[in-house]
Amino acid sequence: MAKATHVLVVEDEAALADLLKYNLEKEGYRVSVANDGDEALLSANESVPDLVVLDWMLPKAPGIEVCRRLRARQETRNTPIVMLTARTEEGDRIRGLDIGADDYITKPFSMIELLARLRAVMRRIRPALADDTISAGDILMDRVSHRVKRGGREVHLGPTEFRILDHLMQHPGRVFSREQLLDAVWGSDVYVEARTVDVHIGRLRKALMVGDEGDPIRTVRSAGYALDVEAA
Ligand code: CA
């Protein structure tokens, strides 16, 4: 099974939080709910969400402060954030987008509209997460069946190599340090030596390259690794 997209809903109105959770789960998302700003920051720390739906008016830390603090953290720097608000002032909307929100929905909204906007944000920011099948160059990954093909040839990968490739394919061309790959693939609460990443990258390369196939993974000296779409 493909990993379900994890949505963190931050909303203090219990009825609306329940409604959001119910509808998002029905859409196949995995949902966590936080009832105030502090809880949201704690929850995002424990389990990094793929997407945050964040109410503007919250007890304790207000939505805009939660947004700012999520953006300040390495793990959630690029996490899509959609803000919910009852305010309609243009100034607030711009302020929210300035602080790093990706989209903005004014209450009251319909569930259909919200779900469509979330899908659009996911497609725009992380095209790969919205799909069960992703491709980069001549590499094709099916996340549901856990199969990878390169130029039509079946590539056999271990689970760790699969997850590394999945992460690299979500951000083609972007360079990841060993530490970033460790966090993304093993999780930040697990202690793994940075050298372990090199070992798995080596296995991944070996599986991807047969005969005279080019090396799709670029090693960036003292920086890390990237998937080169052109080479792939
Ligand atoms: Ca509220």
Side-chain angles (χ1 to χ4, degrees), residues 52-100:
V52 181
V53 175
L54 178 61
D55 188 29
W56 182 290
M57 297 289 281
L58 289 170
K60 299 180 189 170
I64 199 153
E65 183 57 28
V66 174
C67 184
R68 200 196 315 266
R69 283 162 69 179
L70 289 174
R71 282 291 172 259
R73 289 183 186 166
Q74 175 72 32
E75 302 78 29
T76 47
R77 182 155 294 158
N78 300 312
T79 305
I81 299 174
V82 175
M83 295 206 70
L84 302 179
T85 181
R87 303 175 179 210
T88 49
E89 291 94 342
E90 191 66 13
D92 286 338
R93 184 189 160 93
I94 291 164
R95 212 168 129 226
L97 295 175
D98 265 357
I99 216 81

Side-chain angles (χ1 to χ4, degrees), residues 10-13 16 55-59 84 107:
V10 191
E11 171 59 73
D12 57 313
E13 276 172 62
L16 181 54
D55 188 29
W56 182 290
M57 297 289 281
L58 289 170
L84 302 179
K107 290 180 184 174

Side-chain angles (χ1 to χ4, degrees), residues 17-28:
D18 286 349
L19 193 66
L20 285 165
K21 183 173 159 69
Y22 172 79
N23 281 280
L24 289 168
E25 283 179 345
K26 221 169 70 181
E27 282 282 298

Side-chain angles (χ1 to χ4, degrees), residues 3-150:
K3 200 177 120 213
T5 301
H6 174 204
V7 181
L8 172 60
V9 172
V10 191
E11 171 59 73
D12 57 313
E13 276 172 62
L16 181 54
D18 286 349
L19 193 66
L20 285 165
K21 183 173 159 69
Y22 172 79
N23 281 280
L24 289 168
E25 283 179 345
K26 221 169 70 181
E27 282 282 298
Y29 295 103
R30 184 163 69 84
V31 182
S32 311
V33 173
N35 299 306
D36 63 55
D38 288 348
E39 205 185 313
L41 291 163
L42 271 176
S43 169
N45 223 18
E46 273 168 25
S47 171
V48 178
D50 298 306
L51 179 70
V52 181
V53 175
L54 178 61
D55 188 29
W56 182 290
M57 297 289 281
L58 289 170
K60 299 180 189 170
I64 199 153
E65 183 57 28
V66 174
C67 184
R68 200 196 315 266
R69 283 162 69 179
L70 289 174
R71 282 291 172 259
R73 289 183 186 166
Q74 175 72 32
E75 302 78 29
T76 47
R77 182 155 294 158
N78 300 312
T79 305
I81 299 174
V82 175
M83 295 206 70
L84 302 179
T85 181
R87 303 175 179 210
T88 49
E89 291 94 342
E90 191 66 13
D92 286 338
R93 184 189 160 93
I94 291 164
R95 212 168 129 226
L97 295 175
D98 265 357
I99 216 81
D102 296 285
D103 203 352
Y104 191 103
I105 297 177
T106 306
K107 290 180 184 174
F109 52 83
S110 75
M111 242 354 118
I112 292 169
E113 182 195 358
L114 176 86
L115 293 171
R117 297 279 280 277
L118 295 190
R119 277 196 297 268
V121 164
M122 292 306 285
R123 264 199 307 275
R124 193 168 74 233
I125 294 162
R126 291 192 180 171
L129 269 180
D131 295 312
D132 290 337
T133 309
I134 54 171
S135 65
D138 62 356
I139 302 172
L140 191 74
M141 170 178 281
D142 185 331
R143 290 187 162 131
V144 178
S145 64
H146 263 242
R147 291 174 107 170
V148 175
K149 283 184 171 179
R150 184 170 191 200

Side-chain angles (χ1 to χ4, degrees), residues 168-228:
L168 292 174
M169 285 178 79
Q170 283 177 45
H171 316 269
R174 187 167 141 196
V175 178
F176 290 97
S177 68
R178 290 172 180 81
E179 289 71 26
Q180 284 171 327
L181 285 173
L182 280 174
D183 280 357
V185 175
W186 282 265
S188 51
D189 50 347
V190 178
Y191 180 76
V192 182
E193 272 186 64
R195 218 193 92 63
T196 309
V197 176
D198 300 337
V199 173
H200 287 284
I201 288 277
R203 286 186 198 158
L204 177 58
R205 274 195 168 121
K206 205 173 156 196
L208 286 172
M209 294 162 67
V210 169
D212 57 0
E213 287 175 311
D215 186 355
I217 297 168
R218 179 161 50 100
T219 302
V220 182
R221 200 162 281 280
S222 76
Y225 298 100
L227 184 75
D228 263 338

